């Protein structure tokens, strides 16, 4: 069984991360994905060279496995005609190209839906499909991290802005788009008609900090960035153990968890301390309590605290680096990694799994990412072109 999207045909016109990640998830779920690339390829392919390395790029691999690559020159009339034919025969079109570029290529929603009324057309943009900034250039660090308020919401006054890790907003947008495609395909089963579905990096960022924005929207209250030195609730906060390893306490229901914490740290007298006796008191004396807890937690290594916390039913989690997640047994047990068949038939390549499983229609990765334009001729033959025509397309510059 190839997954719940088996038999669904997807065409992708995308570069970098947001669009390709959405198509990659659909590919994980079983869809046949054709990735249309410009004559010089998706620039994401060369990302690894920016770090002085050679060979394959793991970030590119994650967002482009299970695809076939077709090189097309969309500035050439014949290249545009081929792309339109592909989309005419597809179930889904996924793109993160700007609307103006899609209109120029004749791949805008109005044009393609008229030619294929059953098409589910998924647009992932920086700022949305309407408005004066719909064609503004945007990576997720611009529309999601910066403009949507995410970076500022995490930054106390006077502190340096935190630097975003690669693809954070893009991957959230890709998952949202994949879910939207699935819902639109369900609607098509009921109505027989496709539709436009869209998301944007701006909207994804706004939704991610929706609690803060809702407070500003409804009550006019600005979001005040919190610090681990004086959080509103010291029982849901980061601390450092005696061996330098960090962890979070997870006492969101502070009064419920306070007795458990006191048993774990052997401070029963704090139950009668007026500074710490209630949620409100701990908030008012947050910095004092954090300092006291810092001193206590510095007395033991995290491995010891882990046993004590679990024994006393203290909710907590370790703060891990990416290389530690790679060796986390629970990350493996939870299905966080998959083995992708190697192109040369060698040992499978372990990669990060997309984050949704289907227990009735399980998916499994089928192929490593394609070489640039690897399947151009194969896809053209499927469209009905013969080899003489393919040679003519190459000579004309419509395909690489």
């Amino acid at each position: 069984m190839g997954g719940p999207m088996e038999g669904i045909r997807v065409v992708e016109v995308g570069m970098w991360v947001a669009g390709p990640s959405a198509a990659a998830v659909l590919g994980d779920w079983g869809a046949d994905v054709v990735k249309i690339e410009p004559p010089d390829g998706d620039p994401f392919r060369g990302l690894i060279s920016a770090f002085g390395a050679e060979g394959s790029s793991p970030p590119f691999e994650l967002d482009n496995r299970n695809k076939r690559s077709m090189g097309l020159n969309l500035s050439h009339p014949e290249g545009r005609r081929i792309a339109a034919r592909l989309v005419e025969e597809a179930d889904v079109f996924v793109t993160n190209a700007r609307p103006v570029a899609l209109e120029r290529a004749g791949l805008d929603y109005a044009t393609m839906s008229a030619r294929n009324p059953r098409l589910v057309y998924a647009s992932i943009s920086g700022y949305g499909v309407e408005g004066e900034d719909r064609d503004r250039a945007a990576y997720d660090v611009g529309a999601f991290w910066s403009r949507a308020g995410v970076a500022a919401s995490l930054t106390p006054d006077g502190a340096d802005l935190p630097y975003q890790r690669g693809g954070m907003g893009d991957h959230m947008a890709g998952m949202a788009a994949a879910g939207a495609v699935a819902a639109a395909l369900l609607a098509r089963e009921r109505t027989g008609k496709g539709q436009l579905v869209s998301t944007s990096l701006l909207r994804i960022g706004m939704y991610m900090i929706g609690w803060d924005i809702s407070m500003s929207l409804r009550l006019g209250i600005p979001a005040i960035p919190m610090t681990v030195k004086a959080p509103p609730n010291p029982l849901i906060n980061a601390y450092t153990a005696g061996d330098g390893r960090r962890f979070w306490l997870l006492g969101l229901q502070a009064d419920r968890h306070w007795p458990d914490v006191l048993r774990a740290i052997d401070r029963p007298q704090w139950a009668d301390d007026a500074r710490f006796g209630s949620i409100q008191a701990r908030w008012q004396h947050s910095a004092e309590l954090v300092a006291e807890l810092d001193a206590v937690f510095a007395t033991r290594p995290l491995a010891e605290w882990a046993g004590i916390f679990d024994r006393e039913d203290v909710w907590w989690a370790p703060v891990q680096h990416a290389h530690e997640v790679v060796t986390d047994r629970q990350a493996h047990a939870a299905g966080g990694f998959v083995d992708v068949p190697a192109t040369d038939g060698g040992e499978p390549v372990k990669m990060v799994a997309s984050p949704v499983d289907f227990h009735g229609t399980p998916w499994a990765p089928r192929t490593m990412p394609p070489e640039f334009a690897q399947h151009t001729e194969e896809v053209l033959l499927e469209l009905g072109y013969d080899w003489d025509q393919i040679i003519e397309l190459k000579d004309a510059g419509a395909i690489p």
Side-chain angles (χ1 to χ4, degrees):
M1 190 173 295
M5 289 285 180
E6 188 173 19
I8 295 296
R9 294 171 295 177
V10 177
V11 174
E12 170 204 313
V13 171
M15 293 187 291
W16 294 107
V17 184
S21 70
V25 170
L26 297 174
D28 270 352
W29 295 351
D32 173 21
V33 181
V34 174
K35 177 183 179 72
I36 294 177
E37 300 191 56
D40 51 357
D42 183 340
F44 194 16
R45 289 180 176 275
L47 180 66
I48 197 72
S49 64
F51 299 96
E54 296 181 357
S56 63
S57 169
F60 179 84
E61 292 172 347
L62 174 60
D63 294 323
N64 289 280
R65 64 188 179 219
N66 304 320
K67 298 180 184 179
R68 295 189 288 168
S69 171
M70 183 177 195
L72 273 184
N73 182 0
L74 296 182
S75 66
H76 191 285
E78 199 59 37
R80 294 194 295 272
R81 190 172 295 114
I82 294 168
R85 284 189 58 186
L86 277 170
V87 179
E88 280 179 15
E89 298 183 11
D91 296 290
V92 179
F93 179 59
V94 174
T95 184
N96 64 329
R98 284 183 270 179
V100 66
L102 293 164
E103 291 166 0
R104 191 164 52 239
L107 295 174
D108 56 286
Y109 174 68
T111 299
M112 294 316 306
S113 64
R115 299 173 71 165
N116 180 359
R118 289 176 55 81
L119 179 69
V120 172
Y121 187 112
S123 168
I124 308 169
S125 60
Y127 299 107
V129 295
E130 303 290 344
E132 62 184 7
D133 285 339
R134 72 170 197 150
D135 291 311
R136 180 180 291 276
Y139 294 111
D140 65 343
V141 72
F144 162 83
W145 189 247
S146 300
R147 191 163 179 178
V150 178
S153 72
L154 299 173
T155 310
D157 288 343
D160 291 338
L161 288 168
Y163 208 96
Q164 183 196 296
R165 305 303 298 178
M168 288 172 60
D170 288 322
H171 277 175
M172 293 178 65
M175 279 302 306
V181 165
L185 287 172
L186 175 61
R188 190 181 74 173
E189 287 298 304
R190 295 170 175 169
T191 67
K193 297 179 180 179
Q195 62 180 293
L196 170 66
V197 296
S198 64
T199 188
S200 68
L201 295 166
L202 178 63
R203 286 274 297 277
I204 291 292
M206 291 172 61
Y207 187 73
M208 194 179 83
I209 59 166
W211 288 6
D212 289 339
I213 292 178
S214 292
M215 294 292 283
S216 295
L217 180 68
R218 297 287 302 280
L219 303 176
I221 299 174
I224 300 174
M226 294 176 281
T227 76
V228 296
K229 296 300 183 184
N233 176 5
L235 296 193
I236 185 162
N237 194 44
Y239 295 96
T240 304
D243 57 355
R245 296 195 63 192
R246 295 174 292 182
F247 62 94
W248 277 86
L249 291 181
L250 306 176
L252 181 60
Q253 294 174 271
D255 282 346
R256 170 189 173 185
H257 293 287
W258 183 231
D260 303 328
V261 171
L262 293 183
R263 288 196 311 274
I265 64 176
D266 194 23
R267 294 297 189 277
Q269 67 273 21
W270 286 2
D272 299 319
D273 191 318
R275 298 173 301 165
F276 309 144
S278 67
I279 292 175
Q280 292 79 10
R282 287 189 293 272
W283 188 353
Q284 292 172 358
H285 299 278
S286 176
E288 296 173 64
L289 180 53
V290 168
E292 294 275 12
L293 289 171
D294 279 337
V296 173
F297 292 135
T299 63
R300 298 175 185 268
L302 183 57
E304 288 188 29
W305 284 120
I308 295 169
F309 291 159
D310 289 347
R311 183 189 71 210
E312 301 298 342
D313 197 27
V314 173
W315 296 8
W316 72 286
V319 174
Q320 297 194 137
H321 293 282
H323 68 273
E324 294 172 310
V325 177
V326 168
T327 60
D328 187 325
R329 289 184 299 176
Q330 187 57 41
H332 286 265
F337 302 95
V338 289
D339 291 325
V340 183
T343 303
D344 60 3
E347 288 296 316
V349 178
K350 192 166 291 295
M351 295 175 64
V352 176
S354 52
V356 175
D357 290 325
F358 300 86
H359 298 269
T361 53
W363 64 270
R366 302 184 304 280
T367 64
M368 288 291 287
E371 298 295 328
F372 166 62
Q374 177 181 342
H375 304 94
T376 302
E377 291 84 357
E378 175 182 296
V379 175
L380 287 171
L381 290 169
E382 291 175 359
L383 286 175
Y385 287 81
D386 60 32
W387 283 105
D388 289 337
Q389 292 172 310
I390 291 173
I391 292 172
E392 291 175 2
L393 291 171
K394 284 182 180 287
D395 291 341
I399 61 175

